[in-house]
Amino acid sequence: MSRLQVLLAVVFLVLASAFAARATTPADVPPAPAAIVIQNATILTVSHGTIEHGSILIENGKIAEVGQSVHAPKDAQVIDAAGQFVMPGIVDCHSHIAVDGSVNEGSISVSSIANIAEVLNPDDISIYRDLAGGVTSANILHGSANSIGGQTVVIKLRWGQPAAKLPFEGALPGIKFALGENPKRSNFSFPGQPKRYPATRMGVEETIRGAFTEARDYQRTWVDYNKRVSAGDKTAVAPRRDLRLEPLVEVLEGKRYVHAHCYREDEILMLLRVAKEFGFKVRTLQHVLEGYKVADEIAASGAGASTFSDWWSYKVEAFDAIPYNAALMTQRGVLVSINSDDAEEATHLNQEAAKSIKYGGMSHDDALKMVTINPAIQLGIDQRVGSIDTGKDADLVIYNHDPLSAYAVVQKTLIDGRVYFDRQRDIAGRADLEKEKKALLEKGKKAGEKKPDATVEIGKKPADKSDAAKPGASKPDAAKTPAPSPDAQKPEDKKPTDSAPDKPKPPQAAAVAGGGL
Amino acid sequence: MNRVLGIIRAGIVCSLFCVLLFTAAVQSQQSPQPTGAGAATPPAAYAITHAKVFTLAGAPIEDGTVVIRDGKIFAVGAGIQIPSDAQVIDGHGLQIYPGLFDSITQMGLREIGAVNATVDETETGDFNPDVIAATAILPSSEHITVTRAAGITEVLAVPASGGMDSFGSSGLLGGQASAINLSGWTINEMLIKKSAAMVINWPSIETRSFDFTTFSVKEKPYSEAKTEYDKHVNELADWLERARHYAQALGHAGPADYNADVRLAALVPVVRGQLPVLVFADQARDIRNAVEFCDKQKLKMILAGGAEAYKVKDLLRSKNVPVILRPVLTEPSERDDPYDRPLTQPAELAAAGVKFAFASFDNSFARRLGQNAANAVAYGLPYDEALKAVTIYPAQIFGLGDQFGTLELGKAANLIVTNGDPLELTTDIRYLFIRGQLTSTDNKQLRLYEKYKNRPKGK
């Protein structure tokens, strides 16, 4: 390494560490005070009504007391929430944040071997942004390219913690299924790409039936083997493990939830039939935009429904989508949640839930449930989160207004009794960070000007964006990290890519990207 | 509605015939008339009485009355004489506002995003100044009835405003945007202004681009991207230069003396400064370049998008360039932007004296227009400014301020009667007037809701 290279490396290390210290990159994990009391708040408990001028005592990350008054220890940290509203942290039942790279292993129609839990990226800025929108837990799903997609994981949005600390302890893992246009690749035909089975909804059914038929046989080989072993048969040879079928066996055994992307009424009933045939339960129907047409059948099956507020018309199977879907399914006895499928949408799920008050006359309490306790039940984490009750995790959001209003702004978000997001703290830190950033950019620019023949020309776009010397290269988002000079060109990164979960904004992009929608 | 449902039930035993009948019944529901009005002659006038009237041209009027006649606002105020031929609507406990104006949509040009056959939004090729949105607006689009049910009474349908053609390009000169009322049997009845703006998609210096033929991201060196950018800007300048010569020829020569050219003819109002250019640009550098270009070319510029408008707010104010802002419910463009960057921008622009309007840039999310404005209020924009940014400001920006955007004498009677703040999520639109007609808020989605709400218990 030349001296210049060493110098550059040092400069970039300084830059990189400075970025790491920004409020918008994982900061230090916030402290966990032994006791916090939130007082003078309007508390929307979700489970037992609204408490005006109430208090919540948090001890060791758990809700210790809720009520008009609580017995707070003298040294408890006090959060005065006069005039503010506290609700349980929002649970997003359909998210693709915190995923490193593509959410779709789209090459095969049964990709149960892939696991989202193995590619969690704690550095994804969407974690912080969603946290700032009141989200505390999220169901991180594989994309929807395949009839049977990859394994999924529930996380808590513990910004600043390493990947290993994100998963929601004890939450049952899931697997993504997808029906309709996405797995049959209706809107995803590209030059040179071979046709893939299935290409019809008939084929989607058979893909799932075929896979579970195999899984059932595979399960039997293990049952037989275990029987022989327990009978003392020393000659028994263990079956070869099949990592593709194992998650499906877990589904058959009730150890893994099925989260099924679906739109049309016919495919919803198809999956419920197939599940019955093989004796497993569909835990949630995701999107389920025509769920209102077969709400009774969904209710009878016990499947939950996790839908959008008001998305429609971005493709044919979304053309009969109605904003009354959530309310109508609820009226018919389905457990309904409102999800995001999109990092930005997740920042205002409280508002999205409120729309069911307008579309279908839902009550304030029921609307609030759709982003708290209902998704918590759907994910099997309702003993821990989803309402403000003694003994539950202190996952809470404080708003300046009723959260079911477009004028409500999140002030603080707590997870496990730690303040992971604080609006005032965020705002207060901005000026310093801006100053620091400028100084560092200046420093980097000067370092580059000293030797114009530098291996990396600062002030011009580095030829190779994966260059280890590039500032922020250690970050997964290097392409969007500011270049060393204000004149440097930023790589444009706004076109849809295969790695992006498809989003409806704009709907044109949804048609070409390949993910969760 | 019962008739429709009856037909649906009968539909269990018949098929095609009933489908046709059902279609006919549904179409009658889509009429601009209120449900049940049939073909009856509408009353000569309407009077909405005892409501709180937000004219947006002065203080709200408590216990006010609005009289509508001949499609226009005939009278507005407190203690107004009710004309004897007016149908009276009791507005006790209700509020009256101008209808909302969504100034960038693809209304009628795009029905189902993923189905090309239903999309007429972006023409192929870089230079299509002659194409006009009004030509392809489908008056019976389901989006129109759904959108107006959210209190949006007029929109601009804007070609090349977000979508790409089938080759992944959105062109440079995208065509002409048309201003329409969200009611009318034909485009002629809907039309406010056939040509309201010329779309320019400002070229960006793109080192990374998405290649639709291989479906992968392509990278190129900065110098190459810059060369391509310069070429595009020069082409734009060249088109305008030729249009200027063409305009001169129009003024001085007879038709026999020059070859007519539909594209250059379309640009004549632009170079004469009669038709504004609606320039799509988001990054500060692109906005600066576009403003400089339009200034030099003496074009009347309206900025569309403006994700980084706050970085060039002084320039926008000094050059009097108004902005049609992308929805604030959008991710910040940079990783290290403050998390609320798009949400606080409207307040910042308002404080700097930059004129702006909110728009949805979409069809299916058009009904989030009010939600976006309200979110900007939550992050510091004065409420009155937010309300004006979805009513009178877009009207003024597109030269329609004398006809739309406030409740004043002689203006078009496009108004909404609500039970509360029209920007709030839970507010209902009780009555909707477009072109002075009491207009149905029925739509495909409401019909589906009613139909399935009444489904007998499933077996």
Side-chain angles (χ1 to χ4, degrees):
Chain A
M1 226 186 211
S2 75
R3 226 197 289 162
L4 178 72
Q5 280 171 320
V6 172
L7 174 69
L8 283 172
V10 168
V11 168
F12 290 131
L13 277 176
V14 169
L15 279 166
S17 60
F19 287 125
R22 294 179 55 82
T24 52
T25 50
D28 293 336
V29 176
I36 302 179
V37 62
I38 302 172
Q39 61 190 31
N40 297 322
T42 300
I43 303 171
L44 306 166
T45 66
V46 171
S47 57
H48 56 286
T50 300
I51 304 168
E52 303 285 351
H53 308 292
S55 296
I56 302 170
L57 174 65
I58 299 166
E59 282 178 331
N60 303 316
K62 300 275 182 190
I63 297 168
E65 258 186 275
V66 191
Q68 281 292 325
S69 59
V70 294
H71 306 86
K74 281 204 179 74
D75 58 348
Q77 183 190 319
V78 175
I79 296 175
D80 186 56
Q84 302 189 328
F85 289 70
V86 186
M87 68 175 268
I90 290 172
V91 180
D92 184 358
C93 199
H94 191 128
S95 174
H96 299 289
I97 64 167
V99 177
D100 192 12
S102 174
V103 300
N104 261 318
E105 176 47 66
S107 57
I108 44 175
S109 299
V110 178
S111 65
S112 42
I113 196 165
N115 191 348
I116 286 291
E118 287 161 7
V119 290
L120 286 179
N121 169 20
D123 205 19
D124 180 1
I125 189 63
S126 296
I127 299 174
Y128 185 74
R129 290 174 180 164
D130 288 2
L131 193 60
V135 180
T136 52
S137 297
N139 190 23
I140 309 302
L141 297 173
H142 184 272
S144 56
N146 318 322
S147 307
I148 295 179
Q151 302 165 47
T152 67
V153 63
V154 182
I155 65 166
K156 281 202 183 191
L157 275 63
R158 295 173 179 129
W159 178 246
Q161 302 269 19
K165 290 279 174 63
L166 293 183
F168 195 117
E169 306 79 5
L172 219 55
I175 186 163
K176 176 80 171 279
F177 284 15
L179 317 177
E181 291 180 26
N182 287 13
K184 77 194 189 83
R185 311 310 284 155
S186 306
N187 311 313
F188 309 91
S189 150
F190 312 116
Q193 196 184 52
K195 284 246 179 239
R196 195 192 77 180
Y197 179 89
T200 66
R201 285 183 170 82
M202 298 181 288
V204 170
E205 175 178 30
E206 291 313 303
T207 302
I208 298 171
R209 291 188 71 243
F212 273 95
T213 303
E214 280 182 63
R216 209 156 50 178
D217 287 347
Y218 176 66
Q219 182 186 31
R220 196 166 46 232
T221 62
W222 276 97
V223 170
D224 291 348
Y225 166 74
N226 287 331
K227 258 189 210 154
R228 286 176 65 183
V229 170
S230 52
D233 184 348
K234 295 249 165 41
T235 64
V237 177
R240 177 177 173 153
R241 280 184 71 191
D242 188 325
L243 301 181
R244 190 178 65 109
L245 295 177
E246 269 181 16
L248 303 187
V249 172
E250 288 168 2
V251 168
L252 291 171
E253 292 173 347
K255 295 172 184 162
R256 182 176 289 279
Y257 289 148
V258 172
H259 301 294
H261 158 122
C262 56
Y263 279 78
R264 248 169 52 173
E265 52 175 323
D266 51 280
E267 65 197 23
I268 295 167
L269 295 188
M270 176 277 280
L271 184 65
L272 297 179
R273 272 197 313 271
V274 171
K276 206 170 176 184
E277 176 186 345
F278 288 92
F280 66 85
K281 292 276 181 203
V282 177
R283 188 67 183 188
T284 67
L285 294 160
Q286 297 283 335
H287 310 324
V288 62
L289 294 186
E290 287 192 11
Y292 67 93
K293 294 184 178 177
V294 287
D296 291 343
E297 287 79 359
I298 296 173
S301 80
S306 189
T307 189
F308 296 135
S309 56
D310 59 0
W311 301 12
W312 74 294
S313 83
Y314 41 96
K315 48 183 171 175
V316 172
E317 60 188 5
F319 201 52
D320 270 7
I322 60 174
Y324 308 88
N325 189 33
L328 217 163
M329 287 194 292
T330 302
Q331 286 163 25
R332 294 270 178 159
V334 180
L335 183 77
V336 180
S337 65
I338 299 288
N339 70 45
S340 77
D341 193 15
D342 175 274
E344 191 284 322
E345 184 84 355
T347 64
H348 45 88
L349 278 175
N350 55 314
Q351 295 181 35
E352 300 316 308
K355 290 176 182 174
S356 285
I357 296 173
K358 175 185 169 89
Y359 297 108
M362 192 176 270
S363 71
H364 187 282
D365 282 1
D366 280 350
L368 207 55
K369 284 180 183 173
M370 292 201 297
V371 289
T372 53
I373 193 68
N374 290 4
I377 294 168
Q378 291 174 342
L379 297 173
I381 53 176
D382 53 305
Q383 295 303 311
R384 292 267 306 273
V385 297
S387 63
I388 302 181
D389 284 296
T390 304
K392 282 198 171 182
D393 296 4
D395 292 10
L396 304 165
V397 199
I398 305 176
Y399 287 89
N400 60 349
H401 290 295
D402 179 352
L404 296 184
S405 159
Y407 299 104
V409 177
V410 174
Q411 304 299 309
K412 286 183 175 64
T413 309
L414 288 78
I415 298 176
D416 308 326
R418 296 174 197 256
V419 181
Y420 276 90
F421 169 75
D422 183 327
R423 178 160 169 77
Q424 290 317 317
R425 194 172 65 200
D426 183 289
I427 292 169
R430 289 179 194 178
D432 282 349
L433 289 166
E434 200 53 42
K435 221 163 87 185
E436 196 180 345
K437 179 178 163 187
K438 266 192 187 146
L440 286 161
L441 290 173
E442 202 51 43
K443 205 170 161 187
K445 200 175 166 188
K446 273 184 191 152
E449 280 164 357
K450 274 183 191 164
K451 288 266 175 92
D453 60 343
T455 44
V456 177
E457 288 183 76
I458 298 174
K460 282 190 179 171
K461 183 195 171 293
D464 177 3
K465 85 173 183 69
S466 68
D467 192 321
K470 190 166 184 259
S474 61
K475 302 280 170 233
D477 227 352
K480 286 193 170 181
T481 311
S485 146
D487 301 323
Q489 304 311 318
K490 283 173 293 194
E492 183 54 60
D493 195 18
K494 282 171 192 162
K495 289 287 185 283
T497 71
D498 222 5
S499 66
D502 54 11
K503 294 167 187 174
K505 303 173 194 173
Q508 290 291 333
V512 292
L517 183 72
Chain B
M1 219 54 236
N2 285 336
R3 188 174 144 222
V4 177
L5 285 172
I7 291 165
I8 290 157
R9 291 195 190 103
I12 296 162
V13 286
C14 67
S15 57
L16 183 64
F17 179 59
C18 286
V19 169
L20 290 172
L21 264 183
F22 178 53
T23 311
V26 166
Q27 275 167 359
S28 77
Q29 296 283 331
Q30 284 171 354
S31 92
Q33 303 297 329
T35 311
T41 321
Y46 292 94
I48 313 161
T49 59
H50 304 299
K52 187 168 182 181
V53 184
F54 294 78
T55 65
L56 305 195
I61 302 163
E62 301 284 348
D63 196 16
T65 295
V66 175
V67 179
I68 298 163
R69 188 186 289 282
D70 298 327
K72 304 243 190 284
I73 293 169
F74 184 74
V76 56
I80 282 175
Q81 178 98 36
I82 311 295
S84 58
D85 58 350
Q87 179 180 320
V88 177
I89 293 172
D90 182 7
H92 268 110
L94 301 178
Q95 305 179 357
I96 309 178
Y97 298 85
L100 308 189
F101 189 153
D102 190 346
S103 52
I104 296 184
T105 71
Q106 302 85 30
M107 205 60 62
L109 301 178
R110 185 177 70 218
E111 199 68 7
I112 301 176
V115 183
N116 271 343
T118 71
V119 180
D120 289 284
E121 187 194 323
T122 303
E123 189 45 86
T124 291
D126 281 344
F127 301 96
N128 296 294
D130 51 330
V131 305
I132 301 181
T135 304
I137 291 171
L138 177 69
S140 57
S141 165
E142 304 286 2
H143 287 277
I144 289 174
T145 46
V146 167
T147 302
R148 75 185 185 205
I152 296 166
T153 51
E154 64 272 350
V155 304
L156 249 66
V158 183
S161 57
M164 290 160 274
D165 69 5
S166 27
F167 306 98
S169 159
S170 49
L172 292 168
L173 280 171
Q176 298 164 52
S178 304
I180 54 168
N181 287 301
L182 288 187
S183 174
W185 293 94
T186 65
I187 187 64
N188 284 343
E189 291 183 12
M190 298 166 76
L191 216 48
I192 295 168
K193 199 172 188 180
K194 192 173 175 185
S195 184
M198 176 69 69
V199 172
I200 295 180
N201 275 303
W202 189 254
S204 204
I205 304 174
E206 308 263 14
T207 51
R208 299 181 80 198
S209 61
F210 195 78
D211 183 351
F212 276 75
T213 55
T214 57
F215 210 74
S216 60
V217 176
K218 285 255 161 81
E219 299 236 17
K220 59 186 132 193
Y222 174 75
S223 57
E224 198 180 303
K226 179 71 164 59
T227 307
E228 205 167 291
Y229 166 83
D230 289 339
K231 177 175 159 273
H232 284 145
V233 174
N234 289 338
E235 280 175 334
L236 270 176
D238 183 56
W239 273 91
L240 293 167
E241 186 58 21
R242 283 191 286 142
R244 261 184 214 102
H245 291 301
Y246 193 82
Q248 271 181 335
L250 281 181
H252 298 293
D257 300 329
Y258 63 92
N259 292 325
D261 185 310
V262 290
R263 296 194 203 188
L264 293 179
L267 284 171
V268 167
V270 173
V271 295
R272 285 180 175 163
Q274 295 155 344
L275 183 66
V277 285
L278 182 60
V279 184
F280 285 76
D282 278 300
Q283 292 180 29
R285 179 184 60 201
D286 295 336
I287 299 170
R288 262 195 304 268
N289 290 344
V291 171
E292 191 190 331
F293 179 88
C294 291
D295 197 38
K296 210 164 118 190
Q297 296 279 345
K298 297 192 171 57
L299 307 182
K300 211 166 129 194
M301 174 175 169
I302 302 166
L303 175 65
E308 292 184 349
Y310 67 94
K311 289 186 181 172
V312 288
K313 59 190 176 191
D314 294 335
L315 176 71
L316 292 170
R317 190 200 37 223
S318 70
K319 297 289 179 189
N320 270 324
V321 176
V323 188
I324 310 299
L325 276 180
R326 213 168 264 299
V328 299
L329 297 176
T330 302
E331 286 192 301
S333 45
E334 301 297 333
R335 177 191 158 92
D336 61 341
D337 280 339
Y339 78 94
D340 58 358
R341 184 64 267 179
L343 291 154
T344 56
Q345 164 156 284
E348 192 175 339
L349 293 181
V354 175
K355 187 159 196 167
F356 66 88
F358 295 106
S360 68
F361 288 59
D362 192 41
N363 290 346
S364 47
F365 287 121
R367 60 182 160 198
R368 290 189 175 187
L369 185 63
Q371 183 184 7
N372 273 286
N375 272 270
V377 173
Y379 288 82
L381 180 67
Y383 177 79
D384 287 354
E385 287 296 302
L387 208 48
K388 287 177 178 174
V390 290
T391 52
I392 182 65
Y393 290 164
Q396 288 170 343
I397 289 169
F398 289 96
L400 301 166
D402 57 338
Q403 297 174 58
F404 295 92
T406 61
L407 300 178
E408 292 178 276
L409 290 191
K411 279 199 172 182
N414 282 13
L415 58 87
I416 51 178
V417 184
T418 72
N419 64 349
D421 172 10
L423 308 183
E424 182 59 286
L425 302 162
T426 47
T427 301
D428 290 325
I429 308 294
R430 292 292 168 82
Y431 301 99
L432 174 70
F433 283 86
I434 300 179
R435 298 184 303 149
Q437 293 181 30
L438 182 57
T439 302
S440 171
T441 53
D442 186 32
N443 59 68
K444 171 190 162 90
Q445 300 183 345
L446 187 59
R447 284 192 299 279
L448 281 167
Y449 173 56
E450 298 287 346
K451 174 179 169 181
Y452 285 94
K453 196 169 70 174
N454 292 315
R455 180 190 165 196
K457 176 103 179 121
K459 286 171 189 158

